[in-house]
Every structure is written in C-alpha cells, then in structure tokens.
Amino acid sequence: MNTIHSLLFVVHIIFGSMALILFWVPIATKKGGLDHRKFGRHYANTMYAVAASGALMALMVLFAPLVIKHQLVNENTDTQQLALNLRIFWSFLLYLSLLAFVNVRHGILVLKNKKQHSNMRQWPHLFSIGLLLVGGLLLFSLGITYSNSLHIIFGVLGTVLAIQSGRFCLAKSVPVNRWLVEHIGSSIGSGIGAYTAFISFGGRSMFGYIGEWQFVFWVAPGVIGAIASARMSCKYKNGLAAKS
C-alpha cells in the first residue's frame, strides 16, 4: 500500500508541476486561437491526472492513516490524535482534488455545448457538481467542529462554485455567450485548486518556520483567484453586453 501511495505521489508531483505551468499558457494566448485551445486541452488532461492521483492518495490516507504515514509514529505518539489530524488534513486535500476535477470538467463541457445548452444537464456532470456541493458543506462543518479556518474558507468557496455551476447547467436558457464567462470562472477555479494543493503540500516544510502565518499562503490562491475571476467575468460580461 505504501509503495502505491509513493508512486501516486511521484505521478501527482510530475503532473502537478506541469499543470502549474500550463495553467498560464491559455491565459496568455489569444482566446479561441490554436495555441489557446491546444494548451487548454493539455492543461485539462494534466489536471485530470492531478485530481485522480490526489484523490487516490487522500482516500488511502483516510482509510489507513497510520499505515500510510507510519514514519510519523514513535513511542511517544498519541496515535488516535495523529490519525484524526491526518484525516482532517487529507479530507481537505481530497476536496481540493474534487474541486479541481469538477471545475476543469465544467469548463470543458461549456465549450463543447455552447450551442446546445441542454447537454449540460447530463447526470454524470450534475452528479459531480452535487458531490462538490455536499463535500463543501461537509468540509465547512468539519472546519467549524475543529476550528479549522482553511476548511471553512474552502468549504464556502466550493459550495458557492457548485451552486453557480449547477444553476448554469439547470437553467432553461442562458444569455448568448454566457458560456465564455462560465468557462473563464471554471478555469480559474481549477487553478485555485491546483495552486492551493501545491502550497498545502509544500507549505508545511517551506513556510513552517513562520508558524500560523503559513495560513496566508494557503488561502492566497483562493483569494487572488476569486478576485481575478470576478474581474475577468465583469470584463467579458460588459464586453458581451456592449455587442448585444
């Protein structure tokens, strides 16, 4: 089991590093251009691998925390508390994997179905959005129970994104070119998940010396991404309104 987890970790790091770089290429290239579409597909496929490997690792730790993280156990360890702490932290990473997957999938589907909005109501996609909604509420509850601000913030963020995506999919009709705003928001949402997971993994070793201030680095991608998403959405909404 530990060997599998280690292999998944290597895969996760390799594809995660690629995703962190590829995320910026579609943003920097002309929207709708060949490079934008090509690198957008590369980013999406890479993020699917990141989400899958991250989710599998998290599930393994949640199922057997003291087996997977046996190196943290010594003769003075409170094993029950350690297992609880591991499950709390890795539940957050599991949700980040789900957040990244749903946003990437949603962003791709709105492009494919921009001329046939009814196709957005297919049950596999609605199920994943529902899972993101329920998971967000559970993560929020976990944060309240254990006074974990990170869980609270991303529980709220994921819940809001799930509601917005669900409303778009279930709407009987949407404004012309609304898919563009939805695509931008979902793409940035997936980037939030990718960068937060990266900092969450490495932040404890890179920023551990600053104590509680490392929390700022964990939350920064979500805050910056939310602001960027709002600004770009307003920009394109105004642009589309001017053309109509």
Side-chain angles (χ1 to χ4, degrees):
M1 183 178 287
N2 286 289
T3 301
I4 296 174
H5 191 272
S6 297
L7 290 173
L8 286 171
F9 181 74
V10 172
V11 171
H12 190 77
I13 293 299
I14 292 174
F15 282 94
S17 300
M18 293 169 59
L20 295 178
I21 298 172
L22 288 171
F23 171 74
W24 297 102
V25 180
I27 292 178
T29 53
K30 182 180 179 181
K31 305 301 178 285
L34 179 61
D35 288 339
H36 180 83
R37 295 196 301 269
K38 180 175 68 175
F39 282 100
R41 286 193 298 269
H42 292 331
Y43 170 72
N45 292 332
T46 302
M47 281 300 296
Y48 285 145
V50 171
S53 58
L56 287 173
M57 285 193 299
L59 289 171
M60 292 176 72
V61 174
L62 291 174
F63 178 73
L66 300 182
V67 174
I68 301 299
K69 296 297 179 179
H70 61 89
Q71 72 275 12
L72 300 178
V73 179
N74 56 54
E75 58 184 15
N76 298 318
T77 300
D78 182 343
T79 54
Q80 289 187 336
Q81 186 61 48
L82 176 60
L84 177 61
N85 292 340
L86 287 170
R87 286 190 170 110
I88 291 174
F89 181 70
W90 281 84
S91 65
F92 169 67
L93 295 179
L94 176 62
Y95 190 70
L96 284 184
S97 296
L98 178 62
L99 178 67
F101 170 78
V102 173
N103 276 284
V104 169
R105 180 176 172 80
H106 188 70
I108 294 298
L109 286 178
V110 295
L111 283 179
K112 290 183 176 180
N113 300 295
K114 58 186 178 182
K115 295 183 179 180
Q116 190 62 42
H117 178 73
S118 60
N119 290 340
M120 294 298 300
R121 293 192 286 271
Q122 296 178 9
W123 75 264
H125 186 49
L126 292 178
F127 176 79
S128 66
I129 292 175
L131 201 59
L132 186 67
L133 174 62
V134 173
L137 295 174
L138 290 175
L139 193 70
F140 177 81
S141 299
L142 196 63
I144 293 294
T145 301
Y146 294 101
S147 301
N148 192 311
S149 300
L150 202 61
H151 288 58
I152 294 172
I153 292 172
F154 279 87
V156 172
L157 176 63
T159 299
V160 170
L161 289 174
I163 292 173
Q164 291 177 341
S165 298
R167 289 180 60 185
F168 176 82
C169 293
L170 295 174
K172 293 183 178 179
S173 61
V174 293
V176 177
N177 289 335
R178 169 66 192 183
W179 62 268
L180 179 58
V181 176
E182 199 73 13
H183 174 69
I184 292 171
S186 296
S187 299
I188 293 177
S190 69
I192 291 174
Y195 273 91
T196 303
F198 168 72
I199 293 175
S200 296
F201 265 115
R204 289 180 296 175
S205 57
M206 293 170 60
F207 309 118
Y209 66 94
I210 62 175
E212 294 182 358
W213 282 100
Q214 63 184 298
F215 171 79
V216 174
F217 292 92
W218 291 349
V219 175
V223 174
I224 296 172
I227 294 173
S229 179
R231 289 177 62 87
M232 291 185 71
S233 294
C234 287
K235 174 185 176 181
Y236 280 95
K237 279 182 182 178
N238 294 335
L240 294 173
K243 292 180 180 179
S244 60

